[in-house]
Amino acid sequence: MERAVEAGRELLGPDEILRVEDLRVWFPLRRGIIDIITGKPRRYVRAVDGISFTVKKKEVFCLVGESGCGKTTTGKAIIRLVPIVGGHIYFRPNRSVLEDLWGHGAEVLEGGVVDIAALPETAIKPLRRSVQMIYQDPYGSLNPRFTIEQTLEEPLIIHGLGFTREERVELVARILEAVRLVPPEDFMGRYPHQLSGGQRQRVAIARAMILNPELVVADEPVSMLDVSIRAEILELLMDLRERLGVSYIFITHDLAVARYICDRIAVMYLGKIVELGDARRVIEHPYHPYTQALIAAIPEPDPENRKKMRNIRIKGEVPSAVNIPPGCRFHPRCVAFDEKRSELEAYCPRREPPFEEVEKGHYVSCWLYSR
Amino acid sequence: MPLLEVRDLKTYFFTLAGVVKAVDGVSFTLDHGEVLGLAGESGSGKSTIAYSIMNLVPPPGKIVSGSIILDGVDVAKLSESELRSKIRWRKVSMVFQGAMNALTPVYTIGYQIAEPLIQHLGMTKREAMERAAELLEMVGLHRSMLNRYPHELSGGQKQRVVIAMALALEPPLVIADEPTTALDVVVQAQILNLLKKLKREKNMSIILISHDLSVIAELADKVGIMYAGKLVEIGTAEQIFNNPQHPYTRLLLKSIPRLRGPVDKLEYIPGTPPDLRRPPPGCRFYPRCPMRMDVCNEEEPPIIEVEKGHYVACWLHAKR
């Protein structure tokens, strides 16, 4: 969509914190001995296959899609947990992290911006102070042998924040209060198994927040929790955004949750963003046939629903990310394509649709709207 | 006569750390062709009810008291061999949670569906395979799937196979325990459509267990809300969704993010469910209830019929 470099514009606008440009994350498949002998080319799982978006300061930017669409891989790429094949991730950290990154061999671009995708291995540790992640499963993401205090003190020790133990304990107590695990003394000595799922997720949030990051990637942070406490965790995340000024990349499969907390939504399908725009607008007025099907499929607590069949306009199953269909990658499942086959035959199966603005700030990648 | 009548069912788990009262005095009935949705948080005892109806409660769990009358027979009193020959598969079958793992990886799909037909109906292998093919087609899969192995199928396809298995002997009651929980929304909607179609065509009774009230609303005629081993409210889907009476049900409904309509503030229920080894003396929701009164902590609330077929266990409705 926006090509910053060519246009000679700034890499990041003043209100932006992150710009992802044509990001690609491919995982190589193992080749058999016969493949190597016959010289077959290496094949890849194209988990993320050229996506672009920006995140504004204090924004909640949502990546939505079904399992396997590449939303988690995108999140992991932004904190450099997976090898990046191509593209750029421009990010503007605060002054002290920037100096630290520079000291560790990172190239600093115009306007105090770094390209996360191009950071040398040595600079990844200082990056973590600015970009953190919250994982889906609070049962798996906490070390069962660490007390809550040890879990929260660890990042401080690693990053050399808080010079004395007293100082660190003070910081731990303060973050526990911020995530409303009060009084903090009651929780510091406990182990994860002594906490409920919601409390564990608060600890995981505290661990991400204790370094005062500017951007937090929250990967399905409420989907493992009971419905009755989800709203509490979402409210906490929004409260921390206000208080700490953090931006979120919120990854979820649940569009209803996205509607409540997200400013903008990007809908992903098979490694691409198919639609991007204001959260409520995308949900109320989706353009892309895939987004439309996704929204039509979501159940709601209305007993009238049982009297009718749901009309889901989508065929077949998600293809493998190894053999991505040519042209628009959604066309083999697209009902709209079938209905207007004669018109669309020359487009959908042949060429990838461009990512175009259909109304202000609302982008769609579909041949129905850009011929 | 109802198809199923559960009366004062108590299923406890005798663990080393104490007796966990997972299901503690639950009663309900289910008619032919009716779908009952059981909703509740994790650990509320909804799956334990399902296992009790199959009389398959895993040790150290045991049905302590109560009766489960299915088609005139008390399932809780039958021996293992009687259960196998008369009840399971024939009268009631179950679609287990995490159906992906309910299939054995070493047999073909066809063989796994055919096995109960051979065992229970004495069909020959050829007959059973033919019937298995019909069952696959009924759940929307191609008969060529017969020769496939589970790893060759997607999650949604496996879920369809497990549903086909549950229907093999056409039991009057099917229990579906979180049948769509691990699936993507599109596949979930397809599976729910399939269950709707089967219910209509076969006049099957279904007990649908889910933590997700939206999924329950897609299918259930009657809804029961579980909390900490108790059924706190039960009624028709309209009564529960449009006129909930128990404070827990009300909060639960307000905590669901909705896709349409105004974006109201989401509610949540502070605190956690009680430890079922030492439940509170009175109402089990007392510690988290915004409407609590003194009596709630002293005595268990009686079950009151607030309107026809709508029962609530709450002191707000009981006259003392």
Side-chain angles (χ1 to χ4, degrees), chain A residues 67 228 259 300 308 310 317, chain B residues 154 184 196 218 260-261:
Chain A
S67 41
S228 68
R259 177 171 182 245
E300 276 180 289
K308 51 186 190 266
R310 249 172 213 282
E317 310 248 344
Chain B
S154 72
D184 279 317
K196 277 183 203 175
E218 287 285 321
R260 293 167 191 92

Side-chain angles (χ1 to χ4, degrees), chain A residues 26 54 65 133 149 164 218 236-237 264 306 310 342 349 362:
Chain A
W26 295 3
T54 59
M133 189 151 178
E149 186 190 338
T164 63
L236 172 67
L237 287 171
R264 287 187 303 148
R306 73 178 191 275
R310 249 172 213 282
S342 53
H362 195 149

Side-chain angles (χ1 to χ4, degrees), chain A residues 43-86:
Chain A
R43 296 198 304 160
Y44 293 89
V45 175
R46 285 145 68 181
V48 177
D49 202 20
I51 65 169
S52 307
F53 59 89
T54 59
V55 180
K56 298 191 183 107
K57 278 185 186 146
K58 286 182 82 174
E59 184 179 35
V60 183
F61 184 85
C62 252
L63 290 171
V64 181
E66 297 182 277
S67 41
C69 71
K71 54 191 195 298
T72 296
T73 306
T74 304
K76 285 184 173 170
I78 288 166
I79 67 164
R80 277 288 294 266
L81 279 181
V82 288
I84 293 166
V85 172

Side-chain angles (χ1 to χ4, degrees), chain B residues 286-307:
Chain B
Y286 172 80
R288 300 171 80 186
C289 184
M291 317 276 283
R292 65 184 166 212
M293 304 173 288
D294 289 341
V295 58
C296 306
N297 198 24
E298 288 154 16
E299 235 179 292
E300 276 192 41
I303 296 169
I304 304 290
E305 187 169 15
V306 285
E307 55 186 314

Side-chain angles (χ1 to χ4, degrees), chain A residues 161-346:
Chain A
L161 300 169
F163 292 104
T164 63
R165 188 164 149 72
E166 287 69 36
E167 247 178 275
R168 290 195 296 266
V169 171
E170 175 60 34
L171 285 169
V172 169
R174 221 183 292 157
I175 200 75
L176 280 172
E177 271 170 19
V179 298
R180 298 183 215 145
L181 288 172
V182 282
E185 308 78 58
D186 279 11
F187 287 91
M188 284 196 200
R190 291 207 214 169
Y191 286 91
H193 74 267
Q194 296 168 304
L195 303 181
S196 69
Q199 288 171 334
R200 284 182 215 213
Q201 196 59 299
R202 283 156 197 273
V203 173
I205 292 169
R207 179 180 57 186
M209 296 294 177
I210 199 163
L211 296 174
N212 241 325
E214 292 147 280
L215 179 66
V216 171
V217 178
D219 186 6
E220 305 259 19
V222 297
S223 52
M224 296 276 284
L225 304 175
D226 270 316
V227 187
S228 68
I229 56 169
R230 280 186 192 170
E232 197 177 3
I233 297 294
L234 294 174
E235 196 180 278
L236 172 67
L237 287 171
M238 294 308 105
D239 174 57
L240 291 171
R241 165 171 77 152
E242 286 310 312
R243 296 210 312 204
L244 309 175
V246 55
S247 315
Y248 291 109
I249 292 179
F250 193 93
I251 297 168
T252 182
H253 68 279
D254 189 341
L255 272 163
V257 167
R259 177 171 182 245
Y260 278 78
I261 65 158
C262 295
D263 299 310
R264 287 187 303 148
I265 291 183
V267 180
M268 289 188 70
Y269 180 77
L270 214 56
K272 278 269 189 202
I273 292 178
V274 295
E275 184 157 2
L276 188 160
D278 172 73
R280 295 194 185 160
R281 190 74 193 139
V282 169
I283 288 167
E284 276 152 29
H285 197 272
Y287 283 90
H288 198 284
Y290 177 66
T291 319
Q292 288 168 356
L294 206 55
I295 288 169
I298 295 172
E300 276 180 289
D302 178 357
E304 287 301 308
N305 286 344
R306 73 178 191 275
K307 295 169 186 156
K308 51 186 190 266
M309 289 287 185
R310 249 172 213 282
N311 178 19
I312 310 147
R313 288 165 54 86
I314 196 164
K315 304 179 295 175
E317 310 248 344
V318 185
S320 138
V322 180
N323 299 309
I324 289 181
C328 168
R329 52 195 69 200
F330 184 62
H331 88 267
R333 304 185 69 197
C334 184
V335 179
F337 167 65
D338 281 2
E339 288 169 355
K340 296 187 183 168
R341 215 180 176 109
S342 53
E343 267 176 68
L344 293 168
E345 191 70 63

Side-chain angles (χ1 to χ4, degrees), chain B:
Chain B
M1 193 180 72
L3 171 66
L4 173 73
E5 186 177 357
V6 174
R7 214 179 300 144
D8 203 26
L9 175 68
K10 292 185 178 170
T11 304
Y12 295 173
F13 287 82
F14 297 88
T15 68
L16 289 175
V19 180
V20 178
K21 296 173 178 171
V23 174
D24 202 14
V26 165
S27 307
F28 61 87
T29 62
L30 183 67
D31 283 329
H32 289 273
E34 199 176 37
V35 178
L36 168 69
L38 280 180
E41 294 177 75
S42 45
S44 62
K46 35 190 208 309
S47 290
T48 305
I49 290 182
Y51 283 101
S52 301
I53 295 169
M54 299 285 285
N55 204 335
L56 261 182
V57 183
K62 247 178 82 179
I63 299 177
V64 178
S65 67
S67 57
I68 301 165
I69 319 277
L70 176 63
D71 221 3
V73 183
D74 189 347
V75 176
K77 298 214 165 46
L78 294 182
S79 70
E80 184 63 25
S81 65
E82 284 172 308
L83 285 164
R84 282 193 186 196
S85 60
K86 294 188 188 137
I87 302 296
R88 296 182 198 142
W89 295 97
R90 275 178 193 270
K91 294 284 186 200
V92 52
S93 60
M94 191 155 166
V95 177
F96 289 95
Q97 187 170 358
M100 333 293 157
N101 309 321
L103 296 169
T104 152
V106 294
Y107 289 113
T108 61
I109 298 301
Y111 182 75
Q112 295 189 49
I113 302 177
E115 194 183 9
L117 297 166
I118 297 168
Q119 291 289 327
H120 284 265
L121 300 183
M123 285 186 177
T124 63
K125 199 171 171 204
R126 182 187 295 267
E127 286 166 349
M129 281 303 214
E130 185 45 42
R131 175 80 183 120
E134 287 169 23
L135 285 163
L136 282 179
E137 282 170 358
M138 193 166 77
V139 297
L141 292 175
H142 195 263
R143 59 200 300 142
S144 65
M145 293 274 175
L146 277 180
N147 301 317
R148 302 261 194 102
Y149 286 89
H151 76 267
E152 298 175 273
L153 273 58
S154 72
Q157 288 170 332
K158 279 187 236 179
Q159 191 67 44
R160 285 172 193 265
V161 169
V162 172
I163 291 171
M165 285 171 79
L167 298 175
L169 299 196
E170 305 216 334
L173 175 63
V174 171
I175 302 174
D177 188 3
E178 304 270 10
T180 61
T181 298
L183 303 174
D184 279 317
V185 277
V186 172
V187 183
Q188 165 171 289
Q190 288 163 344
I191 296 289
L192 289 172
N193 272 351
L194 169 66
L195 289 172
K196 277 183 203 175
K197 184 186 104 177
L198 293 170
K199 177 205 167 193
R200 209 172 288 169
E201 286 170 5
K202 308 263 166 207
N203 195 33
M204 245 172 18
S205 298
I206 303 175
I207 296 181
L208 173 69
I209 293 170
S210 178
H211 69 282
D212 187 341
L213 277 163
S214 310
V215 167
I216 299 255
E218 287 285 321
L219 213 59
D221 306 306
K222 198 168 172 181
V223 178
I225 307 288
M226 292 286 298
Y227 184 77
K230 295 268 185 193
L231 197 58
V232 295
E233 184 164 3
I234 187 166
T236 65
E238 280 76 12
Q239 287 166 345
I240 299 295
F241 284 103
N242 302 338
N243 185 25
Q245 291 300 319
H246 198 285
Y248 177 65
T249 313
R250 287 185 180 168
L251 283 172
L252 205 56
L253 282 167
K254 279 190 193 150
S255 68
I256 305 173
R258 290 168 196 248
L259 202 60
R260 293 167 191 92
V263 181
D264 296 329
K265 187 176 172 304
L266 287 181
E267 297 280 341
Y268 57 85
I269 311 176
T272 48
D275 181 348
L276 290 182
R277 285 170 299 185
R278 286 175 292 278
C283 173
R284 294 188 175 182
F285 190 53
Y286 172 80
R288 300 171 80 186
C289 184
M291 317 276 283
R292 65 184 166 212
M293 304 173 288
D294 289 341
V295 58
C296 306
N297 198 24
E298 288 154 16
E299 235 179 292
E300 276 192 41
I303 296 169
I304 304 290
E305 187 169 15
V306 285
E307 55 186 314
K308 195 178 176 316
H310 187 179
Y311 298 87
V312 182
C314 177
W315 278 114
L316 288 173
H317 295 277
K319 292 188 187 67
R320 284 249 285 166

